[in-house]
Amino acid sequence: MAAEITNISYDETQIQVLEGLEAVRKRPGMYIGDTSSKGLHHLVYEIVTNAVDEALGGYCKNIEVVIYPDNTVSVQDDGRGIPTGIQHQRGVSAAEVVFTVLHAGGKFGGSGYKVSGGLHGVGASVVNALSEWMFVRISSDGKVYEQRFERGDVAEKIHLVGDTDKSGTFIQFKPDYKIFEELELNFDILKLMLQEFAFLTKGLRINLTDKREGQEKENTYHYEGGIKQFVQHINRNRKPLFPDPFYAEAERDGVYVEVSLQYNDEFIENTHTFANNVNTPEGGTHLSGFRSGLTKTLNDYARKQGMLKESEKNLSGDDVREGLTAIISIKISEPQFEGQTKTKLGNSEVRTAVDSVVSEYLKYFLEENPAVARQIIDRAVLAARAREAAKKARELVRRKSVLETARMPGKLADCSERDPEKSEIFIVEGDSAGGSAKGARTSKTQAILPLRGKIMNVEKARLDKILSNEEIKAMITAFGTGIHDDFDISKLRYNKIIIMTDADVDGAHIRTLLLTFMYRFMKQLIECEKVYIAQPPLFRIEKGKNEYYVYTDKELENKLDEIGREGIKPIERYKGLGEMDAEQLWVTTMDPDRRILRLVRQHDAILADEIFTQLMGDNVEPRREFIQEYAKYVKNLDI
Ligand code: TTJ
């Protein structure tokens, strides 16, 4: 048994004992980022990664994830099963080593790529350490074994429980309430995560089931086309230029490269990059290799076909990326992750590998599909013309933010504090609520920027038009960061950006537009957790000398049960911020000591963007699907 395990890399060199699991419980943030909802969902990510690795090796075809009513989660695969034999170095089973020893990875994909996300794949032992309990059932070689852990410690040794003709691994765990601030698992976050894994691993079927009462749900993610279907998914509510996305898959110098792309009739770029299935929003060598390959190949083709005259300038990178949707996924044995959030790929050999695959296969694709090629080039030529105008508008904004004399927008009631760490800005819907907010604020630390009406849809316009929009200009100037590649978080003039809109459908719409703008132009604001949503109360209850503000329907019921229903004045329901006077707005929504702020997380922005394209897109079918899916949750959605 031991020899077998050594064979499959569970030897001393693979398993390094760095620290005990106690260290994980002492400083969970060091291992999973934080102990908020983000960290909680990261536990599931860690476990699923192991099963996906087994699938990458070609040993597993199905993964089942289940959320139970007690907020536990299970992940099951039909792979080979974690080895159960005694590991000779330690005298315990290899499975136990996987769950109790930090950094006991030793995972290898069958294709020869060691799949580990470096810091990202912290491993099953970290999840075990942060779980009240963990239960493991392994089926392999005709036998079923089980083992149980509590807060990282062995509670039951591994033992045989029966026979089977199947193989696989089943893990169930309960996140430790002593560690996590939040235990509620979010179906949508897991959905985005699992769907992404499924897109990145063609053929793998991932099933997600929610068994919690009142929210029972089941989804399956299974894509034979892999990232090609990922591209189609991103464009599903948009108008693609051609139906069948470009797809290339090849290996170069030990780098496995997959690229897929398609253009749509909008102006923004939607490129997502992955290294060993880890999302790399900071980009890196795979992205730069892709960009240079794309620009070069399209220019070469356009010249050869006479679509670019000798006197004309080359199409720029920005030109060829307008309306582009692309996925780049690479796999490599020793990924180097760099950058602020360790999500930037550093391996230089990847740049040449991706550049070469894109150049070779795209050239071929253009020659095979001349009609498509013409559409792509025509589109880029149009973009080049518009670019000159856009550049001028953009430089205007850039110049303003570079010179410290940046004139703040007239509508901004700025705070007097100059230290961004101590300042915050409220983006407020409408001039009247803006007026109340100005009356209510602490002018030293709180700035108010009222926006008039709806802000424009940034996905449907070119940069020059977007940047001539007053509300958008006002936000960019007030924030001080610039946008896109010029974005610089160190220039941010406030530590918190707080979106304050009415608690109704219009308010939700404006919030969606604002989030879409920030997600598209200032992604790092969201990644760095600078954006919040203010929560104005829905009701005011008055009883005797006491008044209470409550923020949800459920809270209203609870409060009424608590204080009794007798002798209360008619309950006020707030329809908009404008109905509150300055004092009420301060007490309920703006006072840092009493207010409730909801942090906008990455998935909120992605979902906002999805909802947005689905509702605002030109296609009727996705809009109908959306309304059907969400109608049961949303009471007064007047669309
Ligand atoms: C290791 O090499 C021998 C055959 O099994 C390989 C292995 O570890 N396979 C494996 C691990 N399949 N599935 C897992 C796994 C699945 C889950 C859900 C969680 C964890 C920690 C591991």
Side-chain angles (χ1 to χ4, degrees):
M1 238 0 196
E4 185 191 318
I5 293 159
T6 310
N7 260 342
I8 47 178
S9 321
Y10 277 94
D11 65 9
E12 239 176 351
T13 52
Q14 251 70 44
I15 301 170
Q16 287 176 29
V17 187
L18 294 173
E19 300 159 302
L21 290 190
E22 202 41 47
V24 180
R25 292 183 59 83
K26 274 206 187 95
R27 290 165 175 246
M30 295 257 298
Y31 299 87
I32 54 161
D34 61 34
T35 52
S36 70
S37 162
K38 200 167 165 187
L40 176 76
H41 291 88
H42 194 83
L43 300 184
V44 185
Y45 177 93
E46 282 301 330
I47 296 298
V48 174
T49 300
N50 288 281
V52 172
D53 286 353
E54 187 72 352
L56 283 176
Y59 302 106
C60 145
K61 300 224 161 345
N62 297 283
I63 298 175
E64 292 272 349
V65 178
V66 180
I67 312 169
Y68 299 89
D70 60 353
N71 262 307
T72 64
V73 199
S74 70
V75 181
Q76 173 162 33
D77 72 21
D78 58 354
R80 292 166 294 176
I82 305 175
T84 52
I86 299 300
Q87 208 236 347
H88 60 294
Q89 309 288 340
R90 301 178 164 269
V92 299
S93 73
E96 189 173 310
V97 174
V98 167
F99 290 102
T100 56
V101 179
L102 215 47
H103 289 210
K107 301 172 288 185
F108 282 81
S111 48
Y113 302 98
K114 182 184 172 208
V115 175
S116 97
L119 264 188
H120 302 272
V122 291
S125 60
V126 166
V127 181
N128 192 17
L130 301 176
S131 295
E132 208 181 308
W133 55 259
M134 182 179 263
F135 170 76
V136 180
R137 181 186 296 126
I138 297 164
S139 307
S140 69
D141 302 325
K143 304 281 182 221
V144 184
Y145 301 87
E146 292 182 355
Q147 181 159 22
R148 199 174 269 282
F149 303 88
E150 282 170 19
R151 301 201 158 95
D153 296 329
V154 174
E156 272 174 28
K157 290 300 266 184
I158 194 159
H159 55 283
L160 190 66
V161 295
D163 298 323
T164 181
D165 56 359
K166 299 198 170 63
S167 73
T169 304
F170 173 94
I171 314 268
Q172 187 173 2
F173 62 96
K174 180 168 194 166
D176 193 347
Y177 65 92
K178 289 185 182 167
I179 303 274
F180 291 94
E181 296 140 42
E182 211 181 315
L183 291 174
E184 184 81 10
L185 287 155
N186 180 318
F187 186 92
D188 288 331
I189 297 180
L190 295 183
K191 172 208 153 116
L192 286 175
M193 176 199 301
L194 297 175
Q195 188 175 38
E196 186 173 291
F197 271 129
F199 279 131
L200 292 171
T201 318
K202 55 184 169 193
L204 174 63
R205 189 183 142 278
I206 305 183
N207 203 72
L208 172 61
T209 308
D210 195 337
K211 296 197 168 185
R212 289 172 298 187
E213 206 187 311
Q215 52 190 91
E216 291 89 349
K217 214 171 176 189
E218 187 174 345
N219 277 4
T220 301
Y221 313 104
H222 177 201
Y223 308 103
E224 287 300 338
I227 62 166
K228 185 169 167 175
Q229 278 179 275
F230 201 163
V231 166
Q232 286 176 316
H233 172 78
I234 295 170
N235 276 345
R236 76 196 178 291
N237 303 319
R238 302 185 164 98
K239 286 212 180 93
L241 231 54
F242 46 94
D244 201 25
F246 162 79
Y247 173 77
E249 174 189 24
E251 198 193 305
R252 291 279 186 286
D253 307 326
V255 186
Y256 170 73
V257 180
E258 272 185 286
V259 176
S260 182
L261 67 84
Q262 189 181 45
Y263 284 84
N264 62 52
D265 70 344
E266 294 176 12
F267 303 102
I268 49 162
E269 180 193 359
N270 262 304
T271 296
H272 300 280
T273 58
F274 300 85
N276 289 7
N277 283 352
V278 175
N279 192 195
T280 41
E282 290 184 281
T285 49
H286 48 354
L287 180 63
S288 60
F290 167 73
R291 287 184 163 181
S292 67
L294 178 72
T295 311
K296 198 173 52 197
T297 309
L298 289 180
N299 273 301
D300 286 353
Y301 182 84
R303 294 260 175 231
K304 211 170 110 199
Q305 299 296 320
M307 296 163 88
L308 269 184
K309 304 264 150 17
E310 257 175 54
S311 60
E312 288 177 294
K313 273 196 266 177
N314 260 359
L315 299 165
S316 75
D318 284 336
D319 299 336
V320 300
R321 292 195 295 271
E322 198 178 274
L324 173 71
T325 297
I327 300 290
I328 300 124
S329 172
I330 68 103
K331 295 193 179 91
I332 185 176
S333 56
E334 298 284 337
Q336 290 155 20
F337 291 102
E338 304 169 346
Q340 279 203 328
T341 52
K342 293 267 178 269
T343 57
K344 182 176 182 183
L345 186 69
N347 306 60
S348 59
E349 71 273 29
V350 175
R351 190 191 328 267
T352 33
V354 178
D355 187 335
S356 134
V357 171
V358 170
S359 301
E360 181 182 322
Y361 286 77
L362 187 60
K363 176 171 184 262
Y364 194 68
F365 174 86
L366 297 172
E367 280 162 5
E368 293 273 290
N369 302 281
V372 170
R374 172 161 289 277
Q375 278 183 292
I376 295 175
I377 305 291
D378 282 352
R379 197 186 186 306
V381 168
L382 266 181
R385 282 187 205 140
R387 176 177 51 138
E388 283 309 311
K391 210 166 143 191
K392 278 177 197 146
R394 190 169 168 175
E395 262 158 16
L396 214 64
V397 176
R398 195 190 304 179
R399 208 162 38 238
K400 272 191 198 160
S401 59
V402 167
L403 299 177
E404 281 304 312
T405 54
R407 266 246 309 282
M408 284 300 134
K411 296 187 296 180
L412 175 73
D414 212 352
C415 52
S416 54
E417 176 62 58
R418 285 292 123 217
D419 181 359
E421 276 302 311
K422 296 178 188 147
S423 316
E424 53 189 39
I425 183 170
F426 286 83
I427 312 292
V428 187
E429 168 186 359
D431 283 336
S432 83
S436 303
K438 282 179 192 173
R441 69 177 178 143
T442 299
S443 62
K444 174 143 177 57
T445 54
Q446 297 183 316
I448 309 292
L449 181 65
L451 297 181
R452 197 171 294 123
K454 303 215 161 161
I455 79 156
M456 76 185 295
N457 175 352
V458 296
E459 306 211 345
K460 294 270 186 220
R462 272 211 179 92
L463 201 55
D464 53 335
K465 190 154 163 245
I466 294 168
L467 292 183
S468 62
N469 177 275
E470 289 304 322
E471 327 298 308
I472 288 189
K473 265 200 293 198
M475 278 191 282
I476 297 174
T477 319
F479 296 172
T481 53
I483 59 165
H484 284 327
D485 296 343
D486 299 329
F487 184 91
D488 182 354
I489 191 97
S490 72
K491 298 229 172 72
L492 183 60
R493 298 179 62 250
Y494 310 93
N495 190 39
K496 287 192 173 76
I497 294 167
I498 303 168
I499 299 173
M500 190 158 77
T501 57
D502 288 342
D504 62 7
V505 174
D506 275 350
H509 188 198
I510 291 169
R511 192 165 63 233
T512 303
L513 287 161
L514 285 169
L515 285 181
T516 303
F517 164 65
M518 292 179 196
Y519 177 62
R520 290 298 180 188
F521 284 70
M522 307 175 164
K523 210 171 243 168
Q524 286 180 58
L525 279 187
I526 291 165
E527 283 162 6
C528 297
E529 308 198 328
K530 297 291 183 195
V531 185
Y532 294 81
I533 293 168
Q535 306 274 286
L538 275 186
F539 305 98
R540 178 171 172 275
I541 313 172
E542 202 179 329
K543 183 177 180 179
K545 282 201 202 84
N546 296 323
E547 61 173 8
Y548 309 91
Y549 294 97
V550 296
Y551 295 80
T552 62
D553 288 303
K554 197 169 162 212
E555 208 187 321
L556 175 67
E557 286 309 308
N558 292 344
K559 199 73 194 172
L560 290 175
D561 289 346
E562 182 192 320
I563 62 172
R565 289 170 201 254
E566 274 141 56
I568 61 170
K569 301 238 174 81
I571 294 167
E572 271 183 67
R573 186 188 170 104
Y574 293 113
K575 292 202 195 65
L577 297 165
E579 290 180 14
M580 279 184 273
D581 61 30
E583 174 61 19
Q584 285 174 323
L585 195 58
W586 168 254
V587 170
T588 60
T589 317
M590 291 175 69
D591 178 4
D593 292 332
R594 282 178 281 189
R595 71 188 178 197
I596 301 169
L597 290 184
R598 193 161 74 76
L599 175 68
V600 172
R601 291 165 301 182
Q602 184 90 1
H603 83 273
D604 294 308
I606 296 172
L607 285 176
D609 194 65
E610 282 205 359
I611 288 170
F612 184 80
T613 49
Q614 211 159 341
L615 287 178
M616 310 308 276
D618 303 317
N619 302 340
V620 176
E621 193 47 38
R623 185 154 60 230
R624 191 181 10 249
E625 278 170 26
F626 175 85
I627 293 168
Q628 279 167 357
E629 170 145 359
Y630 286 93
K632 49 186 191 275
Y633 304 113
V634 185
K635 274 190 212 131
N636 42 8
L637 193 73
D638 58 352
I639 20 175

